[in-house]
Amino acid sequence: MAYRLPWLAVAYVAPALAALLLVRSTWSRRDRPGGTLWVALLATVSGWSLVYGVSLLVADRALRLLFEYLVWLPRTWVGVVFLAFALAYTGRGHLLRSRWFGLLVGTEALVTFTLLTNSVHNLLWSEFTVAPTLGTATASYTFGPLLYVDASLTYLATGIGIILLAETVASYGSQYRQHALAIVIASLFP
């Protein structure tokens, strides 16, 4: 019998590979405002998407749990990196050295540490199981309180980044408008 690759896994792996190709094509422009952070953002998003797409093919509970940790490592940082990129790209890079941005980075570092020790305290999730969905092995678990905090911070940071980029589209000339509009639209999908 022929093996069929689940479309859901492909839907996560294909954009990850496309983002990695974009990293390759934009690598030479990382000296421009936000360039290095753009490359970091693409790497973070592609890492998250690629690992998640592959994890959907893993039905063994122990191995799938390991993949879940690997999924959350880059996923935790996506909002912070996106906001950092938006700040640098829109000429507000000095805010990356502010106390509030340091607090955001510190909070995500704490979440990362908590993720690595989650099996001890279950502050991020508990009751992990593998749940077959659409021919894939999705993870199912009960969200812990810190997962809600992290998700809220991610959405807040991403939302602020989108607002900053949208403001750039509205305020600046056509030089930035096309790039910023493409970034705003592309950021809505992840």
Side-chain angles (χ1 to χ4, degrees):
M1 177 160 51
Y3 177 76
R4 291 179 23 175
L5 194 58
W7 68 268
L8 191 57
V10 172
Y12 279 93
V13 171
L17 297 177
L20 288 175
L21 288 174
L22 193 54
V23 165
R24 184 175 164 214
S25 70
T26 59
W27 185 259
S28 63
R29 297 185 210 135
R30 63 188 189 284
D31 60 330
R32 295 183 182 175
T36 301
L37 289 165
W38 175 249
V39 169
L41 177 62
L42 289 172
T44 304
V45 169
S46 64
W48 170 23
S49 187
L50 182 65
V51 173
Y52 186 71
V54 171
S55 76
L56 292 172
L57 305 174
V58 178
D60 177 74
R61 184 191 181 281
L63 190 55
R64 183 63 177 83
L65 180 58
L66 174 64
F67 267 95
E68 197 65 20
Y69 283 104
L70 295 175
V71 165
W72 277 93
L73 281 172
R75 186 251 163 258
T76 296
W77 288 95
V78 165
V80 173
V81 177
F82 182 76
L83 179 57
F85 161 74
L87 288 168
Y89 184 78
T90 61
R92 297 172 176 96
H94 65 282
L95 294 175
L96 296 174
R97 293 176 297 283
S98 68
R99 286 185 183 198
W100 72 267
F101 195 79
L103 180 63
L104 179 62
V105 169
T107 302
E108 290 304 338
L110 179 63
V111 170
T112 300
F113 175 76
T114 305
L115 170 68
L116 298 174
T117 60
N118 189 61
S119 61
V120 175
H121 47 66
N122 295 321
L123 287 173
L124 287 168
W125 68 71
S126 62
E127 302 172 31
F128 181 89
T129 59
V130 178
T133 306
L134 300 173
T136 64
T138 59
S140 177
Y141 41 81
T142 302
F143 285 23
L146 196 55
L147 197 60
Y148 288 106
V149 170
D150 182 56
S152 298
L153 284 175
T154 298
Y155 288 126
L156 179 64
T158 303
I160 292 169
I162 289 171
I163 289 168
L164 291 173
L165 292 168
E167 187 265 337
T168 299
V169 170
S171 299
Y172 293 99
S174 61
Q175 177 185 4
Y176 289 101
R177 189 169 290 153
Q178 220 173 9
H179 290 130
L181 186 60
I183 293 165
V184 167
I185 291 170
S187 65
L188 294 175
F189 292 102

